[in-house]
């Protein structure tokens, strides 16, 4: 395990905080009025998904923890657990649904995802920048309603509904930003 | 997309940039109504007052023979304004640009920023606190009036910032640092200061606060100063509560190691007459009763110069003219520095300082 200075923290890296694995989800430098510099972080507990804030002195160092990123196939949902299978070892891993938050609504069974593994346990996922999903139902665009910015609601194959531009039709494949749930573009 | 492109695409000037105009105009009208002088002090300076927590920008002045002289960009107009106060100028204010280096990767800092300072002679910090309440209400009223005429909705006396609703009507909430420490951290000030000594430098021997911090699970080492340990506890255990308040909070009487240029309390030398204003968790202003004692000021400056060296910050020439002015005599006065950009952030509900600047450093320099 390697120690890094808190001034070198980056969003997304994994650290040991009070003997538990955490992911750094946000950080910013702060200086209390006329005082030393500090680094304020938002840390997500990888066991409970709880997010907390902690402010480090800028001279402190933290322990970065090794995380394996493994390609896994999403098999099915069992109760509240997502069941994955490693594509190379065929080993099965389970991950609490709450750990992936809103990303779950864009997940398809059979699809391959990147799963974070620590101590031989799945502790989270690395989300793609965009996901491609098929539109299964879409309202007809109202004629004449073509002012820029007009939107309509479509339903995707995973069951989630999102808003898209008017030209999106049933059976189109579209890209979505899984972090914001926003429509990005139509697949060609 | 850069902010200039956003303006191009949106056509109408985005609201936050319009709010900045109103804020600047309102500040001027507020102080001119109260007979304050508006002053203009240099941004380019040959020397600075030593502040070990700040990094500075340096540059060079060349004469016609290409001989150079080191210059600095001002970190605040405080020293220059105090020289004017010692010359007898009286109540005054300034809106100017100041510069602080090494403050990247922060939602609240831009290396070039707009600062408002005002000073009252023969007054004390409670009057500045009152000014703050009145000034913000004045600004809000003007925003309300102007936005209404443009059919933009605005609710006077209430600010919504990042889902917090703040009622800014008078009086604001006041809490001393000592009370805050007891209320939010269950720490008595006696537990973190060494009462065996009466001199305040000894009082703040880090031995006791280190023990308290360790018992709370902080990682402290022998090299951490009292101020560093205290501020870490403050940022983790007190400041998040201030962000939850539904009124602006005036946090006053700071521990003396954080006195900066403030007067030490006569009846309790453990504290300095300094205060900060927090609104929705944003640190908006930093004011105090100004230290007027030349010898004390000289001693603090020497300590700061040592710290600048120790921390490896950019070396800088010390402003001897400032000390000279203090020796001649600074009248009893009180003043405050307010971050105008933070004020605009607050009033336009912007998450980052880059959102409200026409040319933020992230656009200009990519950091």
């Amino acid at each position: 395990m390697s120690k890094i200075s808190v001034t070198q923290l980056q969003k997304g890296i994994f650290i040991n905080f009070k003997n538990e694995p955490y992911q750094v989800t946000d950080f910013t430098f702060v200086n209390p009025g006329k005082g030393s510099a500090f680094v304020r972080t938002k840390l997500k507990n990888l066991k409970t998904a709880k997010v907390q804030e902690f402010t480090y002195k800028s001279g402190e160092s933290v322990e970065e923890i090794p995380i394996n990123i493994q390609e896994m196939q999403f098999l099915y949902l069992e109760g509240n657990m997502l069941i994955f299978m490693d594509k190379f070892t065929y080993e099965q891993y389970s991950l609490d649904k709450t750990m992936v938050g809103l990303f779950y609504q864009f997940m398809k069974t059979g699809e391959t995802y990147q799963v974070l593994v620590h101590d031989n346990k799945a502790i989270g996922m690395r989300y793609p920048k965009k996901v491609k999903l098929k539109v299964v139902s879409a309202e007809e665009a109202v004629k004449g309603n073509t002012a820029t910015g007009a939107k309509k609601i479509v339903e995707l194959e995973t069951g989630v509904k999102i808003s898209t531009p008017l030209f999106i039709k049933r059976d189109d494949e579209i890209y979505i930003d899984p972090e914001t749930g926003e429509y990005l573009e139509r697949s060609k | 997309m850069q902010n200039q492109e956003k303006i191009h695409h949106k056509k109408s000037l985005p609201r936050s940039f319009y709010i900045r105009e109103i804020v600047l105009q309102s500040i001027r009208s507020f102080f001119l109504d109260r007979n304050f002088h508006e002053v203009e002090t240099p941004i380019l300076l040959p020397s600075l007052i030593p502040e070990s927590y700040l990094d500075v920008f340096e540059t060079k002045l060349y004469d016609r023979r290409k001989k150079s002289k080191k210059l600095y960009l001002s970190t605040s107009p405080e020293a220059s304004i105090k020289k004017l106060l010692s010359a007898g100028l009286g109540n005054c204010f300034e809106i100017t640009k100041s510069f602080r280096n090494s403050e990247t990767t922060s939602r609240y800092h831009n290396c070039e920023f707009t600062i408002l300072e005002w000073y009252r002679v023969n007054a004390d910090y409670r009057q500045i606190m009152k000014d703050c309440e009145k000034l913000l209400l004045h600004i809000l009223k003007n925003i309300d009036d102007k936005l209404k005429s443009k059919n933009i909705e605005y609710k006077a006396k209430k600010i919504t910032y990042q889902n917090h609703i703040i009622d800014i009507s008078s009086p604001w909430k006041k809490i001393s640092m000592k009370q805050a420490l007891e209320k939010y951290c269950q720490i008595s000030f006696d537990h973190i200061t060494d009462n065996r000594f009466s001199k305040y430098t000894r009082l703040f021997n880090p031995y006791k606060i280190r023990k308290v911090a360790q018992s709370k699970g902080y990682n402290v080492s022998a090299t951490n100063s009292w101020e560093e340990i205290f501020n870490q506890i403050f940022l983790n255990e007190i400041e998040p509560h201030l962000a939850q308040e539904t009124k602006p909070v005036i946090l006053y009487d700071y521990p003396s190691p954080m006195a900066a240029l403030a007067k030490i309390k006569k009846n309790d030398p453990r504290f300095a007459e300094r205060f900060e204003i927090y609104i929705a968790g944003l640190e908006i202003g930093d004011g105090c009763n100004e230290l007027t004692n030349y010898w004390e000021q000289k001693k603090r400056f020497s300590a700061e110069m040592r710290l600048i060296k120790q921390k490896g910050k950019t070396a800088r020439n010390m402003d001897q003219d400032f000390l000279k002015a203090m020796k001649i005599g600074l009248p009893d006065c009180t003043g405050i520095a307010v971050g105008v950009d933070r004020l605009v952030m607050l009033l336009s509900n912007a998450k980052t300082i880059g959102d409200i600047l026409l040319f933020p450093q992230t656009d200009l320099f990519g950091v």
Side-chain angles (χ1 to χ4, degrees):
Chain A
M1 293 192 192
S2 59
K3 287 226 166 199
I4 54 165
S5 158
V6 292
T7 54
Q8 293 169 310
L9 281 181
Q10 280 172 15
K11 255 190 210 179
I13 70 165
F14 302 92
I15 61 165
N16 180 347
F17 175 68
K18 297 189 173 163
N19 289 325
E20 301 235 331
Y22 279 80
Q23 184 173 30
V24 178
T25 57
D26 198 8
F27 75 100
T28 186
F29 281 82
V30 286
N31 300 66
K34 309 204 171 187
S36 308
F38 292 82
V39 179
R40 173 161 286 168
T41 59
K42 265 195 188 146
L43 304 172
K44 181 175 158 188
N45 186 315
L46 293 180
K47 289 180 178 160
T48 62
K50 259 196 179 161
V51 177
Q52 75 166 94
E53 281 196 352
F54 188 75
T55 305
Y56 289 98
K57 294 183 281 294
S58 65
E60 278 186 75
S61 51
V62 289
E63 205 176 275
E64 193 176 356
I65 50 176
I67 298 284
N68 284 334
I69 299 171
Q70 290 167 221
E71 299 263 309
M72 296 195 197
Q73 194 177 26
F74 172 44
L75 299 178
Y76 52 90
L77 181 73
E78 189 180 82
N80 226 11
M81 302 303 275
L82 307 167
I83 310 297
F84 291 96
M85 184 180 68
D86 187 294
K87 288 192 84 164
F88 299 98
T89 63
Y90 303 113
E91 241 177 293
Q92 284 195 10
Y93 290 84
S94 60
L95 178 65
D96 197 305
K97 203 173 111 187
T98 52
M99 297 301 300
V100 302
L102 287 177
F103 185 68
Y104 174 70
Q105 52 186 347
F106 302 112
M107 285 176 68
K108 273 196 315 191
T109 51
E111 200 73 7
T112 301
Y113 296 98
Q114 294 188 321
V115 177
L116 310 171
V117 179
H118 172 63
D119 254 356
N120 213 28
K121 273 192 211 119
I123 53 168
M125 289 176 69
R126 186 196 240 181
Y127 308 121
K129 286 247 156 35
K130 50 186 185 178
V131 288
K132 186 159 101 176
L133 290 171
K134 203 163 158 184
V135 176
V136 292
S137 84
E139 312 153 10
E140 278 296 305
V142 184
K143 257 203 181 150
N145 187 4
T146 52
T148 47
K151 297 263 161 142
K152 67 175 182 184
I153 304 288
V154 304
E155 189 181 337
L156 304 176
E157 55 185 312
T158 56
V160 66
K161 288 179 180 167
I162 69 156
S163 91
T164 67
L166 295 178
F167 58 79
I168 297 298
K169 298 184 303 292
R170 217 181 99 172
D171 293 335
D172 276 352
E173 286 189 306
I174 60 171
Y175 286 107
I176 297 123
D177 178 343
E179 212 177 310
T180 60
E182 277 170 17
Y183 164 87
L184 292 174
E185 59 181 338
R186 180 161 55 173
S187 158
K188 274 141 211 156
Chain B
M1 210 193 305
Q2 295 195 329
N3 279 356
Q4 69 195 71
E5 296 169 282
K6 284 185 199 160
I7 295 170
H8 178 74
H9 285 288
K10 274 207 167 168
K11 298 294 178 214
S12 70
L13 192 63
R15 196 164 157 269
S16 64
F17 303 126
Y18 186 56
I19 284 179
R20 172 182 292 270
E21 286 179 28
I22 306 171
V23 167
L24 291 173
Q25 290 158 4
S26 308
I27 292 169
R28 288 216 158 81
S29 64
F30 180 85
F31 287 108
L32 295 177
D33 281 350
R34 285 163 178 76
N35 292 320
F36 275 61
H37 289 290
E38 176 166 4
V39 298
E40 222 176 41
T41 61
I43 285 171
L44 205 51
L45 291 163
S47 58
L48 300 170
I49 50 175
E51 295 168 296
S52 64
Y53 39 88
L54 296 181
D55 229 333
V56 300
F57 282 94
E58 46 178 14
T59 181
K60 276 178 184 163
L61 169 76
Y62 294 99
D63 68 10
R64 288 181 190 276
R65 284 182 222 100
K66 285 281 168 208
K67 238 177 93 185
S68 70
K69 188 176 170 53
K70 211 185 256 180
L71 298 183
Y72 308 91
L73 293 182
S74 163
T75 53
S76 89
E78 181 166 5
S80 296
I81 297 180
K82 282 186 178 167
K83 287 174 196 168
L84 298 173
L85 293 175
S86 91
L89 191 78
N91 295 354
C92 58
F93 78 100
E94 178 168 19
I95 302 169
T96 187
K97 287 293 186 90
S98 288
F99 300 81
R100 296 180 185 176
N101 216 336
S102 312
E103 291 189 345
T104 57
T105 332
S106 162
R107 276 201 285 284
Y108 315 111
H109 297 91
N110 195 74
C111 59
E112 171 178 349
F113 61 102
T114 305
I115 188 169
L116 158 70
E117 292 205 357
W118 75 91
Y119 291 84
R120 279 183 179 273
V121 174
N122 295 323
D124 95 348
Y125 62 170
R126 280 168 297 191
Q127 239 164 311
I128 298 281
M129 296 175 193
K130 272 261 164 310
D131 283 341
C132 291
E133 296 184 4
K134 287 184 184 158
L135 173 64
L136 195 56
L137 282 165
H138 173 72
I139 294 172
L140 262 191
K141 192 184 171 304
N142 285 345
I143 290 177
D144 191 31
D145 289 349
K146 299 215 169 158
L147 293 188
K148 231 188 248 162
S149 66
K150 287 205 156 211
N151 283 326
I152 305 175
E153 199 198 338
Y154 211 89
K155 283 197 189 96
K157 299 202 180 176
K158 288 244 165 84
I159 298 173
T160 304
Y161 184 73
Q162 306 293 302
N163 300 323
H164 293 288
I165 298 172
I166 311 291
D167 169 10
I168 62 142
S169 59
S170 294
W172 291 357
K173 187 180 167 133
K174 292 193 182 73
I175 183 166
S176 74
M177 196 55 121
K178 187 167 174 252
Q179 292 164 339
L181 200 65
E182 282 162 10
K183 184 173 174 190
Y184 300 119
C185 320
Q186 292 77 47
I187 300 177
S188 145
F189 208 74
D190 294 334
H191 291 151
I192 52 172
T193 46
D194 208 334
N195 301 321
R196 290 175 299 165
F197 306 101
S198 58
K199 263 186 128 180
Y200 89 74
T201 43
R202 301 290 291 276
L203 263 165
F204 293 101
N205 182 321
Y207 161 74
K208 279 179 100 174
I209 196 170
R210 199 182 297 146
K211 270 193 145 174
V212 170
Q214 271 162 347
S215 72
K216 280 173 167 281
Y218 292 103
N219 185 7
V220 282
S221 72
T223 56
N224 293 135
S225 66
W226 193 94
E227 175 268 326
E228 261 182 301
I229 303 171
F230 181 85
N231 260 331
Q232 189 175 25
I233 297 174
F234 168 75
L235 289 170
N236 278 299
E237 300 180 35
I238 300 176
E239 210 197 45
H241 290 283
L242 305 182
Q244 300 307 320
E245 293 288 346
T246 53
K247 296 222 74 163
V249 184
I250 297 173
L251 185 65
Y252 66 96
D253 289 355
Y254 274 59
S256 351
M258 290 140 86
L261 298 180
K263 229 178 216 165
I264 300 296
K265 273 195 116 48
K266 259 197 196 121
N267 56 4
D268 191 346
R270 296 176 302 168
F271 298 99
E273 287 168 341
R274 206 189 119 195
F275 69 96
E276 294 238 357
I277 293 176
Y278 282 87
I279 307 180
L282 274 180
E283 188 194 327
I284 296 289
D286 178 2
C288 68
N289 280 335
E290 306 295 342
L291 176 66
T292 51
N293 183 320
Y294 163 75
W295 297 103
E296 168 73 22
Q297 187 69 79
K298 205 174 164 189
K299 206 170 76 192
R300 285 194 208 168
F301 277 1
S302 311
E304 285 295 306
M305 286 300 262
R306 272 197 304 276
L307 277 174
I308 289 172
K309 223 175 179 177
Q310 242 177 51
K311 292 183 177 178
K313 303 234 165 171
T314 316
R316 57 208 84 160
N317 295 327
M318 182 154 96
D319 190 345
Q320 297 292 351
D321 286 350
F322 175 74
L323 281 177
K324 211 158 82 188
M326 293 228 13
K327 203 171 184 181
I328 293 168
L330 183 63
D332 272 331
C333 59
T334 171
I336 187 170
V338 167
V340 175
D341 308 295
R342 301 247 182 109
L343 207 52
V344 177
M345 276 174 78
L346 177 79
L347 295 167
S348 50
N349 193 12
K351 196 175 172 199
T352 74
I353 195 165
D355 297 336
I356 51 101
L357 295 167
L358 290 165
F359 300 94
Q361 69 180 29
T362 40
D363 282 4
L364 291 173
F365 319 125
V367 289

